[in-house]
Amino acid sequence: MESFIKPLQAIDWANIHHVETAARRAMRGLLEDRWTIRRALLTIPERSDLLALCQHYAHLDNIVLYDDELGIRVRLHVFPAEHFDRPHCHRRSHACTILQGAYRHYLFGQVTLDDQVESGAMKPLEVRQEAVGSAYALHHTMAHAVVAEPYTVSL
């Protein structure tokens, strides 16, 4: 996993163009070497640090495959049932690729820390269909939501 992560440690995460370019390259490498993902999944029960970061919700499982002191985290998201997010932002800029399934991706635009992100008050500026192979990067100030098909998996 380290060889795929190392290039991400040097990028400017505030520059979403750099995030998208570097993350797309890293994710493509991980997908071409699926044994790395499989090995990470198999070692989670032995890694209490990663196991503690994994989260289970009724609509989504976040499985943390990698986490480092610089804040780079690789997560596998599994949507076991049809899922609709409320509009939200992430604490950090991030990139994603769809491994299985698909989702409708609602992009609401940039918000500041002072803005209230309320599902009824925000209207999407863009709606996209993200399918297997789709990859994107979002700045941490971008409000978005997804409606995932059952058993969608993303990295």
Side-chain angles (χ1 to χ4, degrees):
M1 183 81 66
E2 292 288 336
S3 63
F4 300 106
I5 300 301
K6 190 158 182 66
L8 301 177
Q9 294 172 334
I11 65 173
D12 174 7
W13 285 85
N15 183 325
I16 203 64
H17 173 73
H18 290 160
V19 172
E20 195 277 335
T21 302
R24 185 183 292 266
R25 193 174 311 125
M27 289 186 294
R28 187 173 38 242
L30 280 170
L31 295 176
E32 289 172 359
D33 178 15
R34 295 219 176 189
W35 176 244
T36 299
I37 295 173
R38 181 178 169 81
R39 186 176 21 224
L41 276 168
L42 292 172
T43 60
I44 289 174
E46 303 159 11
R47 299 275 314 269
S48 60
D49 58 326
L50 295 181
L51 196 54
L53 297 171
C54 295
Q55 299 169 310
H56 169 72
Y57 304 102
H59 59 277
L60 170 71
D61 289 325
N62 286 325
I63 303 166
V64 178
L65 304 177
Y66 177 89
D67 184 64
D68 69 19
E69 66 281 349
L70 296 176
I72 296 174
R73 186 173 289 170
V74 178
R75 297 188 307 187
L76 201 61
H77 298 117
V78 181
F79 299 87
E82 188 171 37
H83 165 66
F84 181 78
D85 270 335
R86 62 172 177 69
H88 65 280
C89 295
H90 291 259
R91 289 173 286 178
R92 300 178 180 128
S93 296
H94 71 281
C96 182
T97 190
I98 308 300
L99 305 180
Q100 175 179 302
Y103 56 70
R104 297 282 288 167
H105 198 183
Y106 296 84
L107 302 166
F108 295 94
Q110 187 174 14
V111 297
T112 67
L113 291 176
D114 298 329
D115 291 334
Q116 293 291 328
V117 180
E118 297 177 23
S119 58
M122 299 185 77
K123 303 294 181 223
L125 299 176
E126 182 177 356
V127 179
R128 301 167 36 112
Q129 182 70 17
E130 309 289 1
V132 172
S134 292
Y136 61 88
L138 292 180
H139 192 269
H140 67 274
T141 59
M142 173 65 78
H144 77 126
V146 302
V147 177
E149 293 178 359
Y151 309 109
T152 295
V153 178
S154 64
L155 180 69

